[in-house]
């Protein structure tokens, strides 16, 4: 179950980043994790959106603030800087697009209910936290920045 969701998440995340935000993205290879050429990142935006349907849980996207700002400018077609509020709204929309597409492609017959996405700023250790038994994480490389997508499933009762 989770492997099918993760495979779909990789494809959908790549499509959304590239077509909607003009940001190429690729799954990060393990040997790249300690790459010293990566930009130093001290703050991230963490977007979260819940889903309910055939499976229930939460999608969590952790993205460096600088990359999120660039993506917000690309998404809105602006040439000047964006505010923190505009950037967090963009991360919310990014979570909504990724989550909606993952599950609609996975199972077109199920009605999926999504919660309102919420984004907040977190520290640089955000991607190092323990994910827990029911959570799977995928790391991506987007323009030299590490981006993490987590799928957290709620066990069926």
């Amino acid at each position: 179950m989770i492997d099918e969701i993760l495979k779909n998440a990789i494809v959908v995340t790549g499509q959304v980043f590239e077509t909607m935000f003009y940001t190429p993205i690729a799954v990060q290879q393990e040997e790249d994790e300690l790459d010293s050429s990566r930009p130093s990142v001290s703050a991230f935006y963490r977007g979260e959106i819940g889903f309910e349907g055939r499976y229930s849980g939460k999608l969590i996207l952790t993205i460096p603030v600088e990359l999120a700002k660039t993506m917000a400018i690309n998404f809105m077609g602006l040439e000047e800087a964006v505010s923190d509020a505009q950037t967090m709204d963009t991360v919310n929309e990014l979570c909504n697009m990724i989550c909606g597409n993952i599950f609609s492609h996975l199972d077109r017959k199920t009605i999926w209910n999504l919660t309102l996405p919420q984004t907040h700023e977190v520290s640089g250790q955000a991607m190092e936290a323990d994910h827990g038994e029911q959570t799977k994480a995928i790391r991506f490389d987007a323009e030299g920045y590490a981006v993490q997508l987590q799928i957290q499933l709620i066990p069926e009762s």
Side-chain angles (χ1 to χ4, degrees), residues 71-137:
M71 291 175 67
I73 289 168
N74 291 347
F75 184 63
M76 291 186 259
L78 301 174
E79 293 187 18
E80 72 267 0
V82 291
S83 69
D84 291 338
Q86 288 172 309
T87 306
M88 288 193 284
D89 285 346
T90 300
V91 174
N92 284 340
E93 188 56 34
L94 180 60
C95 290
N96 195 34
M97 284 188 256
I98 291 172
C99 192
N101 278 292
I102 287 171
F103 292 104
S104 68
H105 286 111
L106 187 66
D107 181 351
R108 295 191 184 275
K109 293 180 182 172
T110 298
I111 295 173
W112 295 94
N113 296 309
L114 305 181
T115 63
L116 289 175
Q118 296 182 2
T119 297
H120 53 278
E121 193 170 329
V122 295
S123 72
Q125 286 81 25
M127 285 203 254
E128 306 312 321
D130 181 28
H131 307 306
E133 194 175 301
Q134 295 296 323
T135 302
K136 297 293 182 184

Side-chain angles (χ1 to χ4, degrees), residues 7-126:
K7 285 179 194 173
N8 204 22
I10 290 169
V11 172
V12 166
T13 302
Q15 290 171 340
V16 170
F17 266 69
E18 291 176 18
T19 60
M20 301 303 295
F21 297 90
Y22 310 105
T23 303
I25 191 168
V27 173
Q28 189 178 69
Q29 301 303 314
E30 286 189 38
E31 61 270 8
D32 293 343
E33 287 188 31
L34 301 174
D35 188 351
S36 61
S37 67
R38 289 193 183 282
S40 176
V41 176
S42 60
F44 294 84
Y45 284 125
R46 182 183 195 126
E48 300 182 10
I49 186 168
F51 55 88
E52 220 174 64
R54 189 168 135 206
Y55 310 110
S56 296
K58 187 177 355 178
L59 178 141
I60 303 164
L61 180 70
T62 308
I63 183 168
V65 169
E66 288 305 312
L67 178 61
K69 286 185 179 292
T70 300
M71 291 175 67
I73 289 168
N74 291 347
F75 184 63
M76 291 186 259
L78 301 174
E79 293 187 18
E80 72 267 0
V82 291
S83 69
D84 291 338
Q86 288 172 309
T87 306
M88 288 193 284
D89 285 346
T90 300
V91 174
N92 284 340
E93 188 56 34
L94 180 60
C95 290
N96 195 34
M97 284 188 256
I98 291 172
C99 192
N101 278 292
I102 287 171
F103 292 104
S104 68
H105 286 111
L106 187 66
D107 181 351
R108 295 191 184 275
K109 293 180 182 172
T110 298
I111 295 173
W112 295 94
N113 296 309
L114 305 181
T115 63
L116 289 175
Q118 296 182 2
T119 297
H120 53 278
E121 193 170 329
V122 295
S123 72
Q125 286 81 25

Side-chain angles (χ1 to χ4, degrees), residues 2 6 127 131 135-140 148-151:
I2 190 73
L6 291 176
M127 285 203 254
H131 307 306
T135 302
K136 297 293 182 184
I138 307 165
R139 287 225 181 151
F140 295 93
Q148 182 171 271
L149 180 73
Q150 294 172 265
I151 305 288

